[in-house]
Amino acid sequence: MTKIAVVPGSFDPVTFGHLDIIKRGASVFDEIHVVVLNNSSKKPLFTVEERMDLIREVTASLPNVRVDSFSGLLVDYAKSVNAHAIVRGLRAVSDFEYEMQITSMNRVLDDKIETFFIMTNNQYSFLSSSIVKEVAKYGGNISELVPKQVEAALQFKFAKE
Ligand code: PNS
């Protein structure tokens, strides 16, 4: 049986922290679907297509990674691609409560889909898309935080503002 996992998120935009989780997930599962949520109540900086394109570019060297988007319930998306696992990164204790809530809800919705957590690498434990956007907006150096394609996309966005 092919072991398929979903790595869901807002990815607005994808960071080195996300990429680390995606790579490590791809080394454990046969197939990884990185899926961008497109019904977020947050107001994203990048469109779903832009976010997917950036993820595709930075995961191009990973043959078992696919990129997709979804609206609605994550468990429904997972079922539609025959995935039995959800992979999430866990940074610090502050993530725990939120992740536990999502995981518990997903288990109520479908107890056949298991959630796995990968501890974020220490060097990315402080990293989030929001913090990257804030630094980029004010012209700070983000080269250690995001791949160069993402850095260029952020500079382009903020130059237009
Ligand atoms: O990167 P994020 O914003 O922390 O990702 C959150 C995400 C996309 C994993 C979560 O919001 C989600 O799964 N949304 C889809 C709606 C859903 O399935 N809700 C039920 C579980 S709370």
Side-chain angles (χ1 to χ4, degrees), residues 7-12 18 35-40 42 70-76 86 88 91 98-99 101-106 109 129:
V7 180
S10 303
F11 302 107
D12 185 41
H18 294 129
V35 284
V36 178
L37 175 72
N38 78 8
N39 60 350
S40 175
K42 302 172 194 168
F70 79 109
S71 24
L73 292 176
L74 178 59
V75 292
D76 290 336
I86 295 167
R88 293 279 289 170
R91 285 169 302 191
Y98 172 61
E99 294 300 334
Q101 196 176 18
I102 297 181
T103 303
S104 306
M105 194 62 237
N106 285 336
L109 293 168
S129 298

PDB file of all heavy atoms in Angstrom, residues 7-12 18 35-40 42 70-76 86 88 91 98-99 101-106 109 129, ligand 1:
ATOM      1  N   VAL A   7       0.344  17.437   3.837  1.00  0.00           N
ATOM      2  CA  VAL A   7       0.943  18.492   4.660  1.00  0.00           C
ATOM      3  C   VAL A   7       0.140  19.769   4.374  1.00  0.00           C
ATOM      4  O   VAL A   7       0.342  20.414   3.345  1.00  0.00           O
ATOM      5  CB  VAL A   7       2.448  18.708   4.327  1.00  0.00           C
ATOM      6  CG1 VAL A   7       3.034  19.821   5.200  1.00  0.00           C
ATOM      7  CG2 VAL A   7       3.242  17.425   4.512  1.00  0.00           C
ATOM      8  N   PRO A   8      -0.824  20.075   5.251  1.00  0.00           N
ATOM      9  CA  PRO A   8      -1.701  21.219   4.977  1.00  0.00           C
ATOM     10  C   PRO A   8      -1.181  22.510   5.610  1.00  0.00           C
ATOM     11  O   PRO A   8      -0.414  22.473   6.573  1.00  0.00           O
ATOM     12  CB  PRO A   8      -2.995  20.797   5.688  1.00  0.00           C
ATOM     13  CG  PRO A   8      -2.496  20.048   6.895  1.00  0.00           C
ATOM     14  CD  PRO A   8      -1.197  19.380   6.510  1.00  0.00           C
ATOM     15  N   GLY A   9      -1.635  23.631   5.082  1.00  0.00           N
ATOM     16  CA  GLY A   9      -1.275  24.896   5.716  1.00  0.00           C
ATOM     17  C   GLY A   9      -1.714  26.084   4.897  1.00  0.00           C
ATOM     18  O   GLY A   9      -2.258  25.937   3.798  1.00  0.00           O
ATOM     19  N   SER A  10      -1.442  27.255   5.440  1.00  0.00           N
ATOM     20  CA  SER A  10      -1.742  28.493   4.716  1.00  0.00           C
ATOM     21  C   SER A  10      -0.583  28.822   3.769  1.00  0.00           C
ATOM     22  O   SER A  10      -0.803  29.367   2.686  1.00  0.00           O
ATOM     23  CB  SER A  10      -1.948  29.646   5.701  1.00  0.00           C
ATOM     24  OG  SER A  10      -2.967  29.327   6.616  1.00  0.00           O
ATOM     25  N   PHE A  11       0.632  28.572   4.197  1.00  0.00           N
ATOM     26  CA  PHE A  11       1.834  28.766   3.376  1.00  0.00           C
ATOM     27  C   PHE A  11       1.839  30.161   2.729  1.00  0.00           C
ATOM     28  O   PHE A  11       2.014  30.279   1.513  1.00  0.00           O
ATOM     29  CB  PHE A  11       1.965  27.685   2.289  1.00  0.00           C
ATOM     30  CG  PHE A  11       2.019  26.284   2.818  1.00  0.00           C
ATOM     31  CD1 PHE A  11       0.930  25.418   2.671  1.00  0.00           C
ATOM     32  CD2 PHE A  11       3.154  25.815   3.469  1.00  0.00           C
ATOM     33  CE1 PHE A  11       0.978  24.120   3.165  1.00  0.00           C
ATOM     34  CE2 PHE A  11       3.214  24.509   3.960  1.00  0.00           C
ATOM     35  CZ  PHE A  11       2.125  23.677   3.804  1.00  0.00           C
ATOM     36  N   ASP A  12       1.679  31.184   3.538  1.00  0.00           N
ATOM     37  CA  ASP A  12       1.559  32.556   2.997  1.00  0.00           C
ATOM     38  C   ASP A  12       2.727  33.425   3.451  1.00  0.00           C
ATOM     39  O   ASP A  12       2.523  34.322   4.282  1.00  0.00           O
ATOM     40  CB  ASP A  12       0.218  33.138   3.448  1.00  0.00           C
ATOM     41  CG  ASP A  12      -0.040  34.495   2.828  1.00  0.00           C
ATOM     42  OD1 ASP A  12       0.261  34.663   1.636  1.00  0.00           O
ATOM     43  OD2 ASP A  12      -0.537  35.398   3.523  1.00  0.00           O
ATOM     44  N   HIS A  18       8.762  25.430   6.822  1.00  0.00           N
ATOM     45  CA  HIS A  18       7.828  24.533   6.116  1.00  0.00           C
ATOM     46  C   HIS A  18       8.609  23.525   5.269  1.00  0.00           C
ATOM     47  O   HIS A  18       8.292  22.332   5.252  1.00  0.00           O
ATOM     48  CB  HIS A  18       6.934  25.323   5.148  1.00  0.00           C
ATOM     49  CG  HIS A  18       5.980  26.279   5.798  1.00  0.00           C
ATOM     50  ND1 HIS A  18       5.880  27.600   5.426  1.00  0.00           N
ATOM     51  CD2 HIS A  18       5.052  26.087   6.775  1.00  0.00           C
ATOM     52  CE1 HIS A  18       4.927  28.181   6.140  1.00  0.00           C
ATOM     53  NE2 HIS A  18       4.423  27.297   6.980  1.00  0.00           N
ATOM     54  N   VAL A  35      -0.773  20.842   0.667  1.00  0.00           N
ATOM     55  CA  VAL A  35      -2.025  21.472   0.250  1.00  0.00           C
ATOM     56  C   VAL A  35      -2.237  22.829   0.903  1.00  0.00           C
ATOM     57  O   VAL A  35      -2.120  22.985   2.114  1.00  0.00           O
ATOM     58  CB  VAL A  35      -3.269  20.573   0.474  1.00  0.00           C
ATOM     59  CG1 VAL A  35      -3.346  19.502  -0.583  1.00  0.00           C
ATOM     60  CG2 VAL A  35      -3.318  19.989   1.845  1.00  0.00           C
ATOM     61  N   VAL A  36      -2.567  23.779   0.052  1.00  0.00           N
ATOM     62  CA  VAL A  36      -2.779  25.158   0.490  1.00  0.00           C
ATOM     63  C   VAL A  36      -4.273  25.349   0.755  1.00  0.00           C
ATOM     64  O   VAL A  36      -5.096  25.105  -0.124  1.00  0.00           O
ATOM     65  CB  VAL A  36      -2.320  26.144  -0.618  1.00  0.00           C
ATOM     66  CG1 VAL A  36      -2.587  27.577  -0.198  1.00  0.00           C
ATOM     67  CG2 VAL A  36      -0.846  25.928  -0.955  1.00  0.00           C
ATOM     68  N   LEU A  37      -4.563  25.783   1.958  1.00  0.00           N
ATOM     69  CA  LEU A  37      -5.961  26.045   2.319  1.00  0.00           C
ATOM     70  C   LEU A  37      -6.451  27.279   1.574  1.00  0.00           C
ATOM     71  O   LEU A  37      -5.810  28.320   1.621  1.00  0.00           O
ATOM     72  CB  LEU A  37      -6.048  26.287   3.827  1.00  0.00           C
ATOM     73  CG  LEU A  37      -7.417  26.696   4.363  1.00  0.00           C
ATOM     74  CD1 LEU A  37      -8.367  25.513   4.321  1.00  0.00           C
ATOM     75  CD2 LEU A  37      -7.315  27.234   5.759  1.00  0.00           C
ATOM     76  N   ASN A  38      -7.577  27.184   0.856  1.00  0.00           N
ATOM     77  CA  ASN A  38      -8.039  28.380   0.140  1.00  0.00           C
ATOM     78  C   ASN A  38      -9.346  28.952   0.661  1.00  0.00           C
ATOM     79  O   ASN A  38      -9.980  29.744  -0.016  1.00  0.00           O
ATOM     80  CB  ASN A  38      -8.056  28.155  -1.379  1.00  0.00           C
ATOM     81  CG  ASN A  38      -9.235  27.345  -1.854  1.00  0.00           C
ATOM     82  OD1 ASN A  38     -10.139  27.054  -1.078  1.00  0.00           O
ATOM     83  ND2 ASN A  38      -9.227  26.978  -3.115  1.00  0.00           N
ATOM     84  N   ASN A  39      -9.731  28.572   1.877  1.00  0.00           N
ATOM     85  CA  ASN A  39     -10.912  29.231   2.455  1.00  0.00           C
ATOM     86  C   ASN A  39     -10.586  29.830   3.818  1.00  0.00           C
ATOM     87  O   ASN A  39     -11.408  29.888   4.706  1.00  0.00           O
ATOM     88  CB  ASN A  39     -12.082  28.257   2.566  1.00  0.00           C
ATOM     89  CG  ASN A  39     -11.765  27.066   3.433  1.00  0.00           C
ATOM     90  OD1 ASN A  39     -10.611  26.873   3.802  1.00  0.00           O
ATOM     91  ND2 ASN A  39     -12.771  26.282   3.775  1.00  0.00           N
ATOM     92  N   SER A  40      -9.346  30.307   3.906  1.00  0.00           N
ATOM     93  CA  SER A  40      -8.905  30.846   5.184  1.00  0.00           C
ATOM     94  C   SER A  40      -9.631  32.148   5.506  1.00  0.00           C
ATOM     95  O   SER A  40      -9.915  32.953   4.627  1.00  0.00           O
ATOM     96  CB  SER A  40      -7.399  31.102   5.123  1.00  0.00           C
ATOM     97  OG  SER A  40      -6.998  31.723   6.295  1.00  0.00           O
ATOM     98  N   LYS A  42      -8.187  34.290   7.279  1.00  0.00           N
ATOM     99  CA  LYS A  42      -7.118  35.296   7.280  1.00  0.00           C
ATOM    100  C   LYS A  42      -7.079  35.968   5.906  1.00  0.00           C
ATOM    101  O   LYS A  42      -7.468  35.360   4.913  1.00  0.00           O
ATOM    102  CB  LYS A  42      -5.752  34.628   7.506  1.00  0.00           C
ATOM    103  CG  LYS A  42      -5.619  33.838   8.781  1.00  0.00           C
ATOM    104  CD  LYS A  42      -4.303  33.072   8.763  1.00  0.00           C
ATOM    105  CE  LYS A  42      -4.242  32.018   9.833  1.00  0.00           C
ATOM    106  NZ  LYS A  42      -3.116  31.081   9.654  1.00  0.00           N
ATOM    107  N   PHE A  70      -7.021  23.247  -1.392  1.00  0.00           N
ATOM    108  CA  PHE A  70      -8.300  22.665  -0.994  1.00  0.00           C
ATOM    109  C   PHE A  70      -9.157  23.703  -0.297  1.00  0.00           C
ATOM    110  O   PHE A  70      -8.659  24.674   0.262  1.00  0.00           O
ATOM    111  CB  PHE A  70      -8.099  21.423  -0.104  1.00  0.00           C
ATOM    112  CG  PHE A  70      -7.768  21.739   1.344  1.00  0.00           C
ATOM    113  CD1 PHE A  70      -8.690  21.516   2.358  1.00  0.00           C
ATOM    114  CD2 PHE A  70      -6.522  22.233   1.691  1.00  0.00           C
ATOM    115  CE1 PHE A  70      -8.385  21.787   3.693  1.00  0.00           C
ATOM    116  CE2 PHE A  70      -6.204  22.518   3.018  1.00  0.00           C
ATOM    117  CZ  PHE A  70      -7.136  22.287   4.015  1.00  0.00           C
ATOM    118  N   SER A  71     -10.472  23.480  -0.398  1.00  0.00           N
ATOM    119  CA  SER A  71     -11.392  24.274   0.412  1.00  0.00           C
ATOM    120  C   SER A  71     -12.262  23.271   1.141  1.00  0.00           C
ATOM    121  O   SER A  71     -12.406  22.134   0.699  1.00  0.00           O
ATOM    122  CB  SER A  71     -12.247  25.220  -0.435  1.00  0.00           C
ATOM    123  OG  SER A  71     -12.355  24.775  -1.732  1.00  0.00           O
ATOM    124  N   GLY A  72     -12.813  23.666   2.250  1.00  0.00           N
ATOM    125  CA  GLY A  72     -13.630  22.724   3.009  1.00  0.00           C
ATOM    126  C   GLY A  72     -12.807  22.023   4.056  1.00  0.00           C
ATOM    127  O   GLY A  72     -11.827  22.572   4.575  1.00  0.00           O
ATOM    128  N   LEU A  73     -13.200  20.798   4.341  1.00  0.00           N
ATOM    129  CA  LEU A  73     -12.546  20.063   5.426  1.00  0.00           C
ATOM    130  C   LEU A  73     -11.304  19.330   4.945  1.00  0.00           C
ATOM    131  O   LEU A  73     -11.317  18.688   3.887  1.00  0.00           O
ATOM    132  CB  LEU A  73     -13.522  19.058   6.043  1.00  0.00           C
ATOM    133  CG  LEU A  73     -14.709  19.645   6.808  1.00  0.00           C
ATOM    134  CD1 LEU A  73     -15.647  18.534   7.269  1.00  0.00           C
ATOM    135  CD2 LEU A  73     -14.225  20.462   8.007  1.00  0.00           C
ATOM    136  N   LEU A  74     -10.263  19.403   5.764  1.00  0.00           N
ATOM    137  CA  LEU A  74      -9.015  18.733   5.420  1.00  0.00           C
ATOM    138  C   LEU A  74      -9.196  17.223   5.288  1.00  0.00           C
ATOM    139  O   LEU A  74      -8.624  16.595   4.391  1.00  0.00           O
ATOM    140  CB  LEU A  74      -7.965  19.064   6.495  1.00  0.00           C
ATOM    141  CG  LEU A  74      -6.620  18.412   6.341  1.00  0.00           C
ATOM    142  CD1 LEU A  74      -5.973  18.798   5.016  1.00  0.00           C
ATOM    143  CD2 LEU A  74      -5.713  18.788   7.511  1.00  0.00           C
ATOM    144  N   VAL A  75      -9.989  16.630   6.189  1.00  0.00           N
ATOM    145  CA  VAL A  75     -10.155  15.168   6.128  1.00  0.00           C
ATOM    146  C   VAL A  75     -10.817  14.742   4.818  1.00  0.00           C
ATOM    147  O   VAL A  75     -10.523  13.671   4.285  1.00  0.00           O
ATOM    148  CB  VAL A  75     -10.938  14.592   7.346  1.00  0.00           C
ATOM    149  CG1 VAL A  75     -10.141  14.709   8.626  1.00  0.00           C
ATOM    150  CG2 VAL A  75     -12.305  15.227   7.483  1.00  0.00           C
ATOM    151  N   ASP A  76     -11.683  15.594   4.274  1.00  0.00           N
ATOM    152  CA  ASP A  76     -12.323  15.268   2.993  1.00  0.00           C
ATOM    153  C   ASP A  76     -11.293  15.302   1.866  1.00  0.00           C
ATOM    154  O   ASP A  76     -11.295  14.457   0.973  1.00  0.00           O
ATOM    155  CB  ASP A  76     -13.482  16.232   2.691  1.00  0.00           C
ATOM    156  CG  ASP A  76     -14.668  15.997   3.613  1.00  0.00           C
ATOM    157  OD1 ASP A  76     -14.783  14.869   4.137  1.00  0.00           O
ATOM    158  OD2 ASP A  76     -15.462  16.936   3.811  1.00  0.00           O
ATOM    159  N   ILE A  86      -1.855  12.913   8.155  1.00  0.00           N
ATOM    160  CA  ILE A  86      -1.662  14.362   8.075  1.00  0.00           C
ATOM    161  C   ILE A  86      -0.342  14.631   8.789  1.00  0.00           C
ATOM    162  O   ILE A  86      -0.102  14.077   9.875  1.00  0.00           O
ATOM    163  CB  ILE A  86      -2.809  15.111   8.799  1.00  0.00           C
ATOM    164  CG1 ILE A  86      -4.143  14.871   8.083  1.00  0.00           C
ATOM    165  CG2 ILE A  86      -2.505  16.603   8.910  1.00  0.00           C
ATOM    166  CD1 ILE A  86      -5.373  15.303   8.888  1.00  0.00           C
ATOM    167  N   ARG A  88       2.125  17.587  10.389  1.00  0.00           N
ATOM    168  CA  ARG A  88       2.221  18.996  10.803  1.00  0.00           C
ATOM    169  C   ARG A  88       3.545  19.209  11.501  1.00  0.00           C
ATOM    170  O   ARG A  88       4.062  18.311  12.167  1.00  0.00           O
ATOM    171  CB  ARG A  88       1.093  19.343  11.778  1.00  0.00           C
ATOM    172  CG  ARG A  88      -0.291  19.315  11.179  1.00  0.00           C
ATOM    173  CD  ARG A  88      -0.657  20.551  10.406  1.00  0.00           C
ATOM    174  NE  ARG A  88      -0.865  21.716  11.253  1.00  0.00           N
ATOM    175  CZ  ARG A  88      -1.005  22.960  10.757  1.00  0.00           C
ATOM    176  NH1 ARG A  88      -0.897  23.190   9.455  1.00  0.00           N
ATOM    177  NH2 ARG A  88      -1.223  23.983  11.571  1.00  0.00           N
ATOM    178  N   ARG A  91       6.502  23.662  16.477  1.00  0.00           N
ATOM    179  CA  ARG A  91       7.655  24.512  16.804  1.00  0.00           C
ATOM    180  C   ARG A  91       7.901  24.572  18.311  1.00  0.00           C
ATOM    181  O   ARG A  91       8.923  24.158  18.797  1.00  0.00           O
ATOM    182  CB  ARG A  91       7.431  25.932  16.267  1.00  0.00           C
ATOM    183  CG  ARG A  91       7.610  26.048  14.777  1.00  0.00           C
ATOM    184  CD  ARG A  91       7.142  27.368  14.271  1.00  0.00           C
ATOM    185  NE  ARG A  91       5.727  27.555  14.613  1.00  0.00           N
ATOM    186  CZ  ARG A  91       4.952  28.516  14.131  1.00  0.00           C
ATOM    187  NH1 ARG A  91       5.456  29.408  13.321  1.00  0.00           N
ATOM    188  NH2 ARG A  91       3.694  28.593  14.472  1.00  0.00           N
ATOM    189  N   TYR A  98      -3.201  24.693  19.885  1.00  0.00           N
ATOM    190  CA  TYR A  98      -3.847  24.857  18.579  1.00  0.00           C
ATOM    191  C   TYR A  98      -3.808  23.544  17.802  1.00  0.00           C
ATOM    192  O   TYR A  98      -4.818  23.086  17.251  1.00  0.00           O
ATOM    193  CB  TYR A  98      -3.103  25.973  17.853  1.00  0.00           C
ATOM    194  CG  TYR A  98      -3.474  26.209  16.408  1.00  0.00           C
ATOM    195  CD1 TYR A  98      -4.766  26.569  16.051  1.00  0.00           C
ATOM    196  CD2 TYR A  98      -2.509  26.124  15.398  1.00  0.00           C
ATOM    197  CE1 TYR A  98      -5.087  26.815  14.725  1.00  0.00           C
ATOM    198  CE2 TYR A  98      -2.821  26.378  14.075  1.00  0.00           C
ATOM    199  CZ  TYR A  98      -4.120  26.717  13.743  1.00  0.00           C
ATOM    200  OH  TYR A  98      -4.426  26.961  12.427  1.00  0.00           O
ATOM    201  N   GLU A  99      -2.656  22.913  17.800  1.00  0.00           N
ATOM    202  CA  GLU A  99      -2.498  21.660  17.044  1.00  0.00           C
ATOM    203  C   GLU A  99      -3.346  20.547  17.653  1.00  0.00           C
ATOM    204  O   GLU A  99      -3.905  19.721  16.934  1.00  0.00           O
ATOM    205  CB  GLU A  99      -1.025  21.247  16.990  1.00  0.00           C
ATOM    206  CG  GLU A  99      -0.139  22.199  16.196  1.00  0.00           C
ATOM    207  CD  GLU A  99      -0.541  22.351  14.726  1.00  0.00           C
ATOM    208  OE1 GLU A  99      -1.147  21.427  14.160  1.00  0.00           O
ATOM    209  OE2 GLU A  99      -0.256  23.413  14.155  1.00  0.00           O
ATOM    210  N   GLN A 101      -6.128  20.908  19.206  1.00  0.00           N
ATOM    211  CA  GLN A 101      -7.529  21.188  18.862  1.00  0.00           C
ATOM    212  C   GLN A 101      -7.834  20.707  17.435  1.00  0.00           C
ATOM    213  O   GLN A 101      -8.824  19.992  17.213  1.00  0.00           O
ATOM    214  CB  GLN A 101      -7.748  22.696  18.964  1.00  0.00           C
ATOM    215  CG  GLN A 101      -9.187  23.088  19.026  1.00  0.00           C
ATOM    216  CD  GLN A 101      -9.332  24.594  19.224  1.00  0.00           C
ATOM    217  OE1 GLN A 101      -8.404  25.358  18.990  1.00  0.00           O
ATOM    218  NE2 GLN A 101     -10.504  24.994  19.635  1.00  0.00           N
ATOM    219  N   ILE A 102      -6.970  21.058  16.501  1.00  0.00           N
ATOM    220  CA  ILE A 102      -7.192  20.641  15.106  1.00  0.00           C
ATOM    221  C   ILE A 102      -7.159  19.119  14.995  1.00  0.00           C
ATOM    222  O   ILE A 102      -8.014  18.499  14.354  1.00  0.00           O
ATOM    223  CB  ILE A 102      -6.100  21.238  14.173  1.00  0.00           C
ATOM    224  CG1 ILE A 102      -6.156  22.754  14.158  1.00  0.00           C
ATOM    225  CG2 ILE A 102      -6.243  20.692  12.760  1.00  0.00           C
ATOM    226  CD1 ILE A 102      -5.125  23.383  13.233  1.00  0.00           C
ATOM    227  N   THR A 103      -6.155  18.523  15.637  1.00  0.00           N
ATOM    228  CA  THR A 103      -5.991  17.070  15.550  1.00  0.00           C
ATOM    229  C   THR A 103      -7.201  16.346  16.141  1.00  0.00           C
ATOM    230  O   THR A 103      -7.714  15.381  15.557  1.00  0.00           O
ATOM    231  CB  THR A 103      -4.702  16.637  16.286  1.00  0.00           C
ATOM    232  OG1 THR A 103      -3.621  17.339  15.708  1.00  0.00           O
ATOM    233  CG2 THR A 103      -4.456  15.147  16.181  1.00  0.00           C
ATOM    234  N   SER A 104      -7.668  16.825  17.297  1.00  0.00           N
ATOM    235  CA  SER A 104      -8.808  16.174  17.951  1.00  0.00           C
ATOM    236  C   SER A 104     -10.048  16.288  17.077  1.00  0.00           C
ATOM    237  O   SER A 104     -10.805  15.325  16.918  1.00  0.00           O
ATOM    238  CB  SER A 104      -9.088  16.804  19.311  1.00  0.00           C
ATOM    239  OG  SER A 104      -7.918  16.785  20.075  1.00  0.00           O
ATOM    240  N   MET A 105     -10.242  17.457  16.477  1.00  0.00           N
ATOM    241  CA  MET A 105     -11.411  17.663  15.605  1.00  0.00           C
ATOM    242  C   MET A 105     -11.320  16.754  14.385  1.00  0.00           C
ATOM    243  O   MET A 105     -12.304  16.103  14.002  1.00  0.00           O
ATOM    244  CB  MET A 105     -11.456  19.142  15.165  1.00  0.00           C
ATOM    245  CG  MET A 105     -12.769  19.538  14.562  1.00  0.00           C
ATOM    246  SD  MET A 105     -14.102  19.368  15.757  1.00  0.00           S
ATOM    247  CE  MET A 105     -15.169  18.263  14.912  1.00  0.00           C
ATOM    248  N   ASN A 106     -10.132  16.696  13.803  1.00  0.00           N
ATOM    249  CA  ASN A 106      -9.974  15.828  12.627  1.00  0.00           C
ATOM    250  C   ASN A 106     -10.242  14.367  12.985  1.00  0.00           C
ATOM    251  O   ASN A 106     -10.799  13.617  12.186  1.00  0.00           O
ATOM    252  CB  ASN A 106      -8.578  15.994  12.019  1.00  0.00           C
ATOM    253  CG  ASN A 106      -8.458  17.293  11.245  1.00  0.00           C
ATOM    254  OD1 ASN A 106      -9.458  17.845  10.791  1.00  0.00           O
ATOM    255  ND2 ASN A 106      -7.247  17.800  11.115  1.00  0.00           N
ATOM    256  N   LEU A 109     -13.852  13.782  13.096  1.00  0.00           N
ATOM    257  CA  LEU A 109     -14.418  13.751  11.742  1.00  0.00           C
ATOM    258  C   LEU A 109     -14.072  12.459  11.010  1.00  0.00           C
ATOM    259  O   LEU A 109     -14.865  11.950  10.223  1.00  0.00           O
ATOM    260  CB  LEU A 109     -13.908  14.960  10.935  1.00  0.00           C
ATOM    261  CG  LEU A 109     -14.407  16.325  11.426  1.00  0.00           C
ATOM    262  CD1 LEU A 109     -13.625  17.454  10.755  1.00  0.00           C
ATOM    263  CD2 LEU A 109     -15.896  16.483  11.149  1.00  0.00           C
ATOM    264  N   SER A 129       5.390  32.425   8.812  1.00  0.00           N
ATOM    265  CA  SER A 129       5.151  33.248   7.615  1.00  0.00           C
ATOM    266  C   SER A 129       4.875  34.696   8.030  1.00  0.00           C
ATOM    267  O   SER A 129       5.326  35.624   7.362  1.00  0.00           O
ATOM    268  CB  SER A 129       3.956  32.709   6.836  1.00  0.00           C
ATOM    269  OG  SER A 129       4.212  31.400   6.387  1.00  0.00           O
TER     270      SER A 129
HETATM  271  O1  PNS B   1      -0.817  26.975   8.354  1.00  0.00           O
HETATM  272  P1  PNS B   1      -2.043  26.993   9.213  1.00  0.00           P
HETATM  273  O2  PNS B   1      -2.855  28.241   8.929  1.00  0.00           O
HETATM  274  O3  PNS B   1      -1.727  26.818  10.654  1.00  0.00           O
HETATM  275  O4  PNS B   1      -2.936  25.715   8.759  1.00  0.00           O
HETATM  276  C1  PNS B   1      -4.194  25.468   9.345  1.00  0.00           C
HETATM  277  C2  PNS B   1      -4.946  24.331   8.619  1.00  0.00           C
HETATM  278  C3  PNS B   1      -5.027  24.622   7.126  1.00  0.00           C
HETATM  279  C4  PNS B   1      -4.231  23.024   8.832  1.00  0.00           C
HETATM  280  C5  PNS B   1      -6.382  24.243   9.246  1.00  0.00           C
HETATM  281  O5  PNS B   1      -6.929  25.531   9.289  1.00  0.00           O
HETATM  282  C6  PNS B   1      -7.310  23.339   8.456  1.00  0.00           C
HETATM  283  O6  PNS B   1      -7.117  22.151   8.348  1.00  0.00           O
HETATM  284  N1  PNS B   1      -8.367  23.934   7.875  1.00  0.00           N
HETATM  285  C7  PNS B   1      -9.336  23.244   7.060  1.00  0.00           C
HETATM  286  C8  PNS B   1     -10.707  23.190   7.696  1.00  0.00           C
HETATM  287  C9  PNS B   1     -10.879  21.959   8.562  1.00  0.00           C
HETATM  288  O7  PNS B   1     -10.668  20.852   8.142  1.00  0.00           O
HETATM  289  N2  PNS B   1     -11.301  22.196   9.832  1.00  0.00           N
HETATM  290  C10 PNS B   1     -11.498  21.092  10.781  1.00  0.00           C
HETATM  291  C11 PNS B   1     -10.301  20.893  11.703  1.00  0.00           C
HETATM  292  S1  PNS B   1     -10.091  22.291  12.753  1.00  0.00           S
END
